[in-house]
Amino acid sequence: SILRQHRQVWSTECLRLQKFSESAITPFYRQPQGLPYCPSQKYLTSASDNLVNIPEEVLNSDCPYPELKDSLIEAFHSLSERYQSRLQSLQEQLQRTDRFCGWCEHDHEHFTFTVSRYTHDIPNHRALCMDMLLRFFPGKSRQELLEHEYVWDLQRFTQAQLRAVPQQWQRDHEELLARAQVTLQEAKHAHQEELELHRDRQNQQDVYLHLREKVSQWRAQQEEVAKLEAAIAARQQEEEEARLKREREKDAAIRQLYIISKSSVYFSYFSKVGVVAEADPERMMADTEAWKCRHLNVNEFELQKPLYSINTYTDTQIVSDPRVRVEQALREVGLHQSQYAREVLSVIEPPKPPRRDTRSILKF
């Protein structure tokens, strides 16, 4: 049953081998399909050199923030160092064994070719593969075959990792470059906004300084105006004091003139009404005119009687009012319409107080 299963696996290989001559079988057998060899030192050196490549878009970028540019360059260095370290670790791991995993070249290639024939789509492929290996290598135990398979699997995995490292680095490098370009663009926009904000602040500062200068000029003008107004007020006060002084002097002169004129008026008045007649004893003993009038006959008396009675003041009563005499004296000196005349007349009282029934209750 096992041999029948082996014949089914190898029948396809036999059909292929029949198409080639004996000379073509050896190269095909020595290089099984799908089993890559270990990368050469030249390939590893080229991959390592590519990992330290820093994009010129970052190195030659016009970044307005030097610290940000240094940070981006450091990010690319860190990415390259991380993948270089991984690549070096894989290389060291691959160098721990030789190309044929500790076996001779013929045995190793025979082993790998046999394993490659028993693929996963074949039922019970592990058991069939191990049985065939034990038949091909009767001098090796099952454990030795398993260990060799493990070393070979590890070698293939390491080789796959070595091939994947540059691809992974390229992927991360492109992603980091895209992010760096976006960051640089955002930095330029941010720097432009800062410049615009700085210009706005500078404009505001200029406006503030201009307004401050205007305020200073306005204050200086106000102080100058205040000084001028103070000087004008002082001059007006001096003029007012001088005017008041002149008015006081004028009032004093008017009072003096009033006293003098009052004395002269009373002296003109007494000189006019004073007794200047000479002594006449006969006249003194004769009847007076009033007595004669009382003793006239009725007809004559009626002829001298007034037609109607007049209820008014007499000349004597009018002249007896000191207000009339003072007003007459002020009129004679031309001061009857002055403020001083009004003040003087307002303080002079009439000879008799007015009756209560003649007082008005109305207020004007």
Side-chain angles (χ1 to χ4, degrees):
S1 176
I2 294 177
L3 291 177
R4 188 182 304 110
Q5 293 178 8
H6 283 305
R7 281 195 298 269
Q8 291 177 357
V9 173
W10 288 96
S11 60
T12 57
E13 186 67 18
C14 290
L15 293 175
R16 187 187 312 174
L17 293 175
Q18 290 176 1
K19 296 178 181 180
F20 298 95
S21 62
E22 191 67 25
S23 60
I25 296 177
T26 303
F28 179 81
Y29 178 76
R30 294 178 61 85
Q31 297 183 5
Q33 184 178 3
L35 298 178
Y37 294 123
C38 175
S40 63
Q41 185 66 27
K42 182 179 179 180
Y43 171 78
L44 297 178
T45 304
S46 176
S48 178
D49 293 338
N50 291 332
L51 294 183
V52 297
N53 181 26
I54 303 299
E56 295 183 359
E57 294 88 341
V58 178
L59 288 176
N60 301 328
S61 64
D62 187 14
C63 182
Y65 305 106
E67 296 181 356
L68 176 61
K69 184 176 180 180
D70 295 340
S71 177
L72 292 175
I73 294 175
E74 181 64 25
F76 281 98
H77 277 295
S78 177
L79 178 66
S80 299
E81 290 177 357
R82 184 170 69 252
Y83 277 99
Q84 281 183 343
S85 177
R86 184 176 178 184
L87 185 63
Q88 184 178 0
S89 176
L90 292 174
Q91 291 173 357
E92 292 176 356
Q93 183 176 354
L94 193 62
Q95 291 174 359
R96 292 174 186 174
T97 182
D98 57 6
R99 177 178 178 181
F100 305 108
C101 302
W103 285 12
C104 66
E105 181 179 0
H106 180 270
D107 292 344
H108 178 70
E109 291 182 353
H110 196 177
F111 176 88
T112 57
F113 181 77
T114 302
V115 173
S116 65
R117 298 303 93 190
Y118 292 90
T119 58
H120 293 278
D121 57 342
I122 299 175
N124 199 18
H125 69 282
R126 285 292 301 170
L128 293 175
C129 181
M130 183 57 62
D131 181 74
M132 184 59 68
L133 290 175
L134 290 174
R135 293 174 184 273
F136 282 159
F137 304 101
K140 297 185 180 297
S141 63
R142 183 184 183 89
Q143 184 64 28
E144 289 176 346
L145 294 174
L146 291 176
E147 291 178 357
H148 187 76
E149 183 182 15
Y150 171 77
V151 174
W152 181 53
D153 289 340
L154 183 60
Q155 185 185 62
R156 289 188 301 170
F157 176 78
T158 305
Q159 291 174 355
Q161 290 294 313
L162 282 174
R163 289 191 301 270
V165 164
Q167 298 175 359
Q168 295 174 355
W169 172 85
Q170 184 69 24
R171 179 197 60 198
D172 295 345
H173 184 271
E174 292 177 355
E175 182 179 356
L176 181 59
L177 178 59
R179 293 182 179 180
Q181 290 175 345
V182 172
T183 303
L184 291 173
Q185 192 67 25
E186 291 178 351
K188 291 181 180 179
H189 288 305
H191 183 67
Q192 187 67 25
E193 292 178 357
E194 289 181 0
L195 291 178
E196 294 178 357
L197 181 61
H198 178 71
R199 285 195 293 267
D200 294 340
R201 291 180 178 175
Q202 187 65 35
N203 293 335
Q204 292 177 359
Q205 186 70 17
D206 295 340
V207 172
Y208 168 74
L209 293 176
H210 182 65
L211 294 177
R212 184 177 180 181
E213 184 178 358
K214 282 189 175 181
V215 171
S216 300
Q217 294 177 358
W218 178 78
R219 287 183 178 176
Q221 293 175 358
Q222 291 297 320
E223 292 177 358
E224 187 68 22
V225 170
K227 290 180 181 179
L228 293 176
E229 290 179 351
I232 293 173
R235 186 173 61 185
Q236 290 178 352
Q237 185 176 2
E238 292 177 357
E239 293 177 355
E240 183 67 17
E241 291 178 355
R243 186 184 66 80
L244 293 176
K245 183 178 181 181
R246 289 194 301 270
E247 288 184 357
R248 286 195 296 268
E249 292 177 354
K250 184 178 179 181
D251 292 342
I254 292 173
R255 288 191 184 96
Q256 187 69 24
L257 180 62
Y258 170 72
I259 294 172
I260 295 173
S261 62
K262 186 177 181 181
S263 300
S264 62
V265 169
Y266 278 106
F267 178 77
S268 311
Y269 178 75
F270 283 111
S271 63
K272 290 181 180 180
V273 299
V275 180
V276 295
E278 295 180 357
D280 188 0
E282 183 179 358
R283 182 174 177 272
M284 290 178 62
M285 298 302 296
D287 296 332
T288 61
E289 293 293 332
W291 188 86
K292 289 180 180 181
C293 289
R294 286 195 302 270
H295 291 78
L296 289 176
N297 52 26
V298 177
N299 295 330
E300 184 179 0
F301 178 76
E302 290 180 358
L303 291 176
Q304 296 180 355
K305 186 177 180 181
L307 297 176
Y308 53 89
S309 60
I310 300 176
N311 296 324
T312 184
Y313 294 99
T314 63
D315 296 340
T316 303
Q317 291 176 338
I318 293 174
V319 174
S320 65
D321 192 343
R323 296 176 294 179
V324 177
R325 298 196 300 270
V326 172
E327 193 272 340
Q328 185 65 29
L330 293 172
R331 185 179 295 275
E332 291 178 358
V333 296
L335 300 175
H336 61 285
Q337 293 183 352
S338 63
Q339 181 65 27
Y340 173 74
R342 287 191 290 270
E343 292 179 358
V344 171
L345 292 175
S346 64
V347 297
I348 300 176
E349 296 181 357
K352 294 181 180 180
R355 299 194 309 270
R356 295 180 179 180
D357 58 347
T358 61
R359 293 181 180 178
S360 176
I361 61 175
L362 299 177
K363 295 181 180 180
F364 298 94

